[in-house]
Every structure is written in structure tokens, then in C-alpha cells.
Amino acid sequence: MRAKAEHLLRYTGTNIVSTVVDYTLLLTLTHFFGMPVVQSIIGYSAGVIVNYLLSKRYVFTVDTSHKSQHRLFMEFVGTGFIGLLITAVVVWFGVHVLKLSAVESKTAALLLCFIALYFARRHIVFTANPANSPAG
């Protein structure tokens, strides 16, 4: 149980750091240029890169030697694209339909992505090398 709690804590910390990058870009770029949906996409994209680097090093530390680094990154970006779509839709809907601020809309998107991407990355991207599993 302690290992699961530690893993969740590392995942949460990694997401906090990438979220700071994401929100900093969102708020800065929206302040200067407007267009919250576009700025949300830019911030999210930068956050994905930071999240990949931190996740690979601190969160999903399983042996992924059965995947090339290129494949691992592309799978991570692929799941990030799902999060990007969720983010863009939720921010658009929040800002233009519900009349929420960009930050409120982005926060709703963040919560949805946090859960969805954890499961996608745990079960698709950072899968253990089957050659090193007990059944392998």
C-alpha cells in the first residue's frame, strides 16, 4: 500500500510541476495576446514535454527496454494529444458556453486529464518489459 501511495505522490508532484509550466504560459500569453483556447494549447503542449521528462525519471520507472525511446516518447505524446483535445474542448465550452474564465475552464480540464492520462500512461505507455515479468 505504501508503494502505491508513493507512486501517486510522485505522479501528483510531476503533474503539479507541469501544471505550473502550463498555467504560467496560459496566463502570460492570454494576458498579452488573448485567445485563451490557443494559449491553452500552447501551455498544455509545453506541460506535456515537462511531464514526459519527469514521469520517465520519477514516476514510471519500470523497465521499458522493449520500447525504443522514440516509441516511448511518441506514445506519451499520443496520450498527451488525447489530453490536449480534452483541454481544448473543455476550455472552449467553459469560456464560450458557460462563460467561465480561462483559468476556471482550464482547471476543469486539468482534473479530467489528470485521471484519464494516468490510466492511459500506466497501461499503454509505461508498460513493463514482458521479458522481465515473472510469467515471461
Side-chain angles (χ1 to χ4, degrees):
M1 184 66 154
R2 183 172 182 200
K4 287 184 180 183
E6 237 177 77
H7 190 256
L8 182 60
L9 187 60
R10 286 192 311 264
Y11 179 73
T12 302
T14 294
N15 279 277
I16 288 170
V17 171
S18 60
T19 298
V20 167
V21 170
D22 183 350
Y23 272 71
T24 299
L25 284 171
L26 169 70
L27 295 173
T28 302
L29 294 173
T30 300
H31 175 76
F32 288 110
F33 304 108
M35 304 179 298
V37 174
V38 173
Q39 308 317 339
S40 181
I41 291 169
I42 292 169
Y44 183 86
S45 298
V48 164
I49 293 168
V50 170
N51 196 297
Y52 171 73
L53 296 171
L54 294 175
S55 289
K56 186 176 159 200
R57 180 163 183 150
Y58 299 108
V59 180
F60 300 105
T61 57
V62 297
D63 176 14
T64 57
S65 62
H66 63 293
K67 295 181 180 183
S68 69
Q69 291 302 307
H70 180 260
R71 176 180 169 188
L72 198 63
F73 181 72
M74 294 312 294
E75 287 178 354
F76 194 91
V77 169
T79 58
F81 186 70
I82 293 166
L84 179 60
L85 290 175
I86 292 169
T87 298
V89 168
V90 171
V91 170
W92 178 87
F93 187 79
V95 169
H96 296 291
V97 176
L98 299 177
K99 305 299 183 203
L100 299 172
S101 72
V103 172
E104 292 167 324
S105 301
K106 180 75 168 184
T107 301
L110 172 80
L111 296 173
L112 289 171
C113 288
F114 181 83
I115 295 165
L117 294 182
Y118 174 76
F119 287 105
R121 290 175 176 158
R122 181 174 177 210
H123 296 289
I124 297 169
V125 180
F126 295 103
T127 57
N129 186 343
N132 293 336
S133 69

